Amino acid sequence: MSLDDRAAALDATDPLAGFRDRFRLPENVIYLDGNSLGVQPRHVAERVRRTVEHEWAEGLIGSWNAADWIELPRTVGDRIAALVGAAPGSVTVGDSTSVNLFKCLAAAIMQRPGRRVIVTEETNFPTDGYMMQGLAALRPDLEIRAAAPGSDPAALVDADTAVVALTHVDYRTAALHDMDAVTAAAHAAGAMMVWDLSHSTGALPVDLAGCDADFAVGCTYKYLNGGPGAPAFAYVAPRLGAVRQPLSGWMGHRDPFAFAGAYEPAEGAAGFLCGSPQILSLAAVDAALALWDHVDMAAVRAKSVSLTGLFMEAVEAECGGHGLTIVSPRDDARRGSHVSIAFDGGYAMIQALIGRGVVGDFRAPDLMRFGFAPLYVSHLETLTAVRTLRDLLETGTWRAAGIPSGPVT
Ligand SMILES: *Cc1c(COP(=O)(O)O)cnc(C)c1O
């Protein structure tokens, strides 16, 4: 069967095909960047409008209770908990992923007095490393021990290790860590485990309770489609009880409205809230997450594997001889939901693709990154993206798309 026939057949039997219509996809765009900023679900604008015009404009301060604003960090957290194998009440939403990672790392270090090492890897997302460096600036005795590319971070864990902090799906290559094995290795050495699930949540099944992670953080504006800069989540294993973290703002207090002088953390993830919740953004995330009540995560994973697999197969079959190197794992079990291709002209090629309506992104020094959000990307679009890439390579027109200037995000 030709790739085209196969793609058409896969789309015809796709159990998630009905979701595409729930998103505001621009005309004539193949959007392969949902791993960076997810597409807007249709019903989100209406929800945000209601929050702005009814709850805020008319309800004013009464809406903290009447519209349950005060509970949003927890109710949105419960929606995310269902997607990451976490018990209700063990996830809260607020602040950014960077800030939540700081809270989790610091909490883990405070739980392991006498230990001074954070184990991570050099290829972790930069903000994760930067937050570790910020913590080490406060605690100069801390050592950040980062595994070199391709080496196993678990091999660096020892009796001095307070915490192992890794991103589940690598933002560059899409390589996937084995959460069970790494968490078990951290625990075997007496260390705590923090997972960054930014590139996992909404893209593949995650089982935080099953792997017994201590903490996790993640992003809501990528595969969850919560909107630009949408607040991030934090998970705290319920077995840890009330955990002290240093950004001890009033919303994480066990009784914020007692206005007591001394800080006492609320139990678990509730104690990881800090200041007032970002209600407008939370309303958008809440609405976006409502879609997921109807999503079978096993079907999401199956389609993700199918889309990324088809993309790589088609690139290899039709774009050979132009110096492209697929850097994402070929083994389905080892790959997240995007595919990265190293190419010397990567920046210009991505600009040329965007000019032709195929939106991916570029990550320095030479990676072209294509994300496959299973709720709205089809197999036929995936093939069309490869054909566009092939056409640009064969005609050489991508060279006219220029060189980087200014920030590339
Ligand atoms: C996207 C992403 C973030 C985002 O951090 P923010 O503070 O929310 O901007 C963090 N970590 C990883 C691994 C990411 O992929």
Side-chain angles (χ1 to χ4, degrees):
M1 208 194 289
S2 72
L3 283 174
D4 302 75
D5 289 346
R6 190 137 52 85
L10 286 164
D11 285 344
T13 56
D14 173 10
L16 301 175
F19 283 99
R20 183 183 169 90
D21 222 29
R22 311 291 298 272
F23 290 89
R24 296 179 62 170
L25 282 157
E27 295 274 315
N28 304 318
V29 166
I30 296 177
Y31 193 71
L32 304 182
D33 215 1
N35 55 327
S36 202
L37 178 66
V39 172
Q40 186 184 130
R42 285 189 190 283
H43 59 288
V44 166
E46 180 51 40
R47 169 64 181 278
V48 173
R49 201 173 301 121
R50 191 179 87 215
T51 304
V52 168
E53 302 204 344
H54 176 63
E55 297 173 4
W56 178 17
E58 295 166 8
L60 283 172
I61 197 155
S63 288
W64 281 106
N65 294 316
D68 267 339
W69 285 352
I70 197 70
E71 289 305 320
L72 267 183
R74 281 165 277 262
T75 50
V76 177
D78 282 347
R79 288 190 188 276
I80 293 171
L83 303 177
V84 292
S90 64
V91 174
T92 52
V93 182
D95 301 326
S96 63
T97 307
S98 306
V99 171
N100 286 335
L101 184 71
F102 184 88
K103 297 171 194 167
C104 292
L105 289 169
I109 285 162
M110 289 160 84
Q111 296 270 320
R112 290 292 180 272
R115 294 182 175 225
R116 43 168 289 281
V117 175
I118 301 174
V119 168
T120 184
E121 57 190 348
E122 288 174 11
T123 51
N124 203 344
F125 189 74
T127 202
D128 297 49
Y130 300 159
M131 298 314 286
M132 292 172 199
Q133 291 163 34
L135 198 52
L138 278 173
R139 276 271 311 260
D141 61 311
L142 288 180
E143 176 194 340
I144 301 166
R145 195 179 283 168
S151 70
D152 179 10
L156 301 182
V157 178
D158 63 13
D160 242 5
T161 306
V163 57
V164 179
L166 294 171
T167 297
H168 181 212
V169 176
D170 186 285
Y171 79 105
R172 280 204 184 93
T173 64
L176 204 57
H177 277 297
D178 179 336
M179 288 181 66
D180 289 312
V182 180
T183 306
H187 287 170
M192 301 199 101
M193 185 75 222
V194 180
W195 284 107
D196 186 331
L197 301 176
S198 290
H199 275 277
S200 314
T201 317
L204 69 165
V206 169
D207 190 1
L208 281 171
C211 79
D212 201 27
D214 299 286
F215 302 100
V217 298
C219 190
T220 62
Y221 53 76
K222 292 170 178 160
Y223 294 101
L224 297 181
N225 315 304
F233 67 88
Y235 165 80
V236 179
R239 63 179 154 70
L240 296 173
V243 180
R244 192 70 201 255
Q245 58 88 8
L247 302 186
S248 41
W250 68 314
M251 287 297 150
H253 193 282
R254 71 164 51 248
D255 191 2
F257 296 99
F259 297 102
Y263 180 77
E264 275 184 72
E267 289 281 308
F272 278 54
L273 296 172
C274 183
S276 298
Q278 298 89 1
I279 297 304
L280 300 184
S281 305
L282 278 166
V285 183
D286 191 36
L289 283 166
L291 265 190
W292 293 86
D293 291 349
H294 313 281
V295 172
D296 169 9
M297 201 49 87
V300 166
R301 176 62 175 157
K303 186 173 173 190
S304 160
V305 164
S306 174
L307 291 168
T308 53
L310 178 75
F311 181 75
M312 292 190 291
E313 185 184 342
V315 166
E316 282 185 342
E318 303 186 357
C319 301
H322 293 282
L324 269 52
T325 309
I326 294 175
V327 301
S328 298
R330 296 310 305 260
D331 176 357
D332 293 346
R334 311 274 337 120
R335 184 176 72 243
S337 202
H338 65 273
V339 173
S340 284
I341 303 177
F343 181 55
D344 276 346
Y347 178 83
M349 178 60 88
I350 286 292
Q351 299 310 308
L353 283 165
I354 292 169
R356 296 271 300 263
V358 177
V359 181
D361 62 27
F362 174 74
R363 288 293 177 265
D366 63 349
L367 288 186
M368 304 190 292
R369 203 172 62 149
F370 303 94
F372 296 86
L375 294 192
Y376 51 77
V377 176
S378 74
H379 293 86
L380 280 171
E381 282 182 306
T382 300
L383 270 194
T384 304
V386 176
R387 303 278 157 74
T388 309
L389 176 64
R390 182 181 69 186
D391 185 62
L392 288 165
L393 286 165
E394 288 177 352
T395 59
T397 44
W398 63 272
R399 292 177 196 280
I403 52 164
S405 64
V408 180
T409 55

